[in-house]
Amino acid sequence: MEKPKKYKIVLSKDALEDIKNTKTYILETFKYREYAENFSRKIKMAIQALSPFAEGYAETGYTIEGLRIYYKPYSTYLIFFVVEGETVTVIRVLKDRMYWQPIINRMKKIDR
């Protein structure tokens, strides 16, 4: 049996912006800092859990920079990422109700 890989987890600028925007939305809409901080902490824990089985998640059918795009559902969000060698790069964190296909399809490069 193959040994699980230990991946380095990296967040792209787009993914960081997605998390920041969601946190800001929670603060502005609900005026509840603890809920916003809790969201941020939990989404980051879900992202860290991509290692060691990142390539075990579903593929989107799209590629970016020649890399297959995978996604992991978490709560009401979808975490999109690519695997490049020993590195997992999270490229977007989108609400699952969003029409994510055109968003992912329009991405031409990873904003590292």
Side-chain angles (χ1 to χ4, degrees):
M1 183 161 65
E2 192 175 319
K3 206 177 208 184
K5 286 184 182 179
K6 181 70 175 161
Y7 292 99
K8 176 182 175 186
I9 308 289
V10 178
L11 278 76
S12 71
K13 291 178 184 175
D14 288 330
L16 289 169
E17 188 71 18
D18 291 336
I19 294 169
K20 179 182 160 214
N21 289 343
T22 301
K23 193 173 171 181
T24 300
Y25 171 80
I26 292 167
L27 284 169
E28 290 175 355
T29 305
F30 303 109
K31 312 278 191 249
Y32 192 23
R33 179 165 297 281
E34 187 175 330
Y35 178 54
E37 295 297 333
N38 195 34
F39 160 78
S40 184
R41 185 175 58 254
K42 286 185 175 181
I43 200 80
K44 288 176 182 172
M45 284 174 45
I47 289 168
Q48 289 301 317
L50 290 171
S51 185
F53 301 110
E55 293 173 298
Y57 289 98
E59 292 184 37
T60 62
Y62 297 104
T63 61
I64 187 169
E65 297 180 6
L67 302 168
R68 291 179 287 191
I69 301 174
Y70 298 87
Y71 70 96
K72 173 187 179 176
Y74 169 73
S75 184
T76 60
Y77 296 87
L78 296 173
I79 301 166
F80 294 93
F81 61 94
V82 296
V83 178
E84 188 173 21
E86 302 294 318
T87 303
V88 170
T89 303
V90 177
I91 59 172
R92 295 300 303 254
V93 178
L94 303 173
K95 193 81 170 137
D96 63 1
R97 292 187 312 254
M98 294 175 78
Y99 192 47
W100 61 264
Q101 289 91 345
I103 295 169
I104 297 298
N105 193 35
R106 278 194 309 265
M107 294 182 73
K108 301 299 179 211
K109 65 182 190 86
I110 301 169
D111 192 5
R112 298 186 196 318

